[in-house]
Amino acid sequence: MNPEWYASVSRRLFELGARDVWMTPIHMKKGRPGVLLAVLAAADQESTLAHAMLRETTTLGVRVHRVHRYEAQREARHVTTPYGPVGVKLKWVGDTFAGMKPEYEDCLALAEAAGVPVRTVYEAALVAFGRDESSEAGG
C-alpha cells in the first residue's frame, strides 16, 4: 500500500470508532517488507472497521482477535497552574491511588498561549497537584 495513505486510513478508522490504530513494519512471505495495520475497538465496531480496512487499504483480508482488558478506575480533576487550569487524570487500583497524569491537550494549549515549552506547563501541573494534595491532607 502506498505509505502516503497511512495517515488518512488511520484518521478514518478513528472517525469510525477505533480506540487505537497503529502500524508496525514487518517482513512478509518471500522476504517482502510490509506494514501490519492494527486496530483496537469494541466488538460492536468490528464489522464497520473491518469493512473500512478492506475498502481503504490494499489488503485482501482482515484477521480478528478477541482480547480482554483490565482497567484502572479514573477520576478527572483540575489543578490551577501559573498558566491556567489543567485537567488531570487520577488513576486508582481498587482503593489505592496509583498515579496522576496531566491532560496533554490542556498543557499544549496553555504552553502555546504563554510561549513556553509544553513540558513547562506539564511540570507545573504536577507541582500544582502535589500542592493541592498536601493541603487536602492537612500538610
Side-chain angles (χ1 to χ4, degrees):
M1 185 171 95
N2 183 338
E4 292 177 319
W5 303 344
Y6 294 170
S8 66
V9 168
S10 180
R11 187 172 37 256
R12 181 70 179 132
L13 292 168
F14 278 119
E15 288 169 358
L16 291 171
R19 291 186 180 154
D20 207 352
V21 176
W22 65 95
M23 294 174 206
T24 307
I26 59 172
H27 291 282
M28 298 172 48
K29 65 184 174 198
K30 301 180 184 178
R32 296 181 186 138
V35 172
L36 176 65
L37 171 61
V39 178
L40 189 61
D44 64 351
Q45 296 293 334
E46 177 185 318
S47 178
T48 299
L49 293 167
H51 283 97
M53 292 168 73
L54 291 167
R55 272 191 318 273
E56 301 205 16
T57 72
T58 58
T59 192
L60 297 174
V62 175
R63 290 183 177 93
V64 176
H65 304 274
R66 304 272 180 221
V67 296
H68 180 76
R69 180 179 182 201
Y70 290 90
E71 291 185 53
Q73 293 126 315
R74 294 173 227 176
E75 178 185 344
R77 288 193 194 172
H78 281 85
V79 295
T80 302
T81 73
Y83 307 97
V86 174
V88 295
K89 208 176 281 174
L90 280 59
K91 175 181 171 182
W92 297 87
V93 178
D95 293 334
T96 305
F97 176 71
M100 182 280 287
K101 180 182 170 303
E103 293 289 353
Y104 172 77
E105 294 296 331
D106 290 355
C107 294
L108 178 63
L110 292 172
E112 288 175 348
V116 299
V118 69
R119 176 181 172 187
T120 301
V121 178
Y122 191 96
E123 289 173 351
L126 295 173
V127 169
F129 177 76
R131 182 188 60 238
D132 291 353
E133 287 302 299
S134 290
S135 64
E136 282 184 23

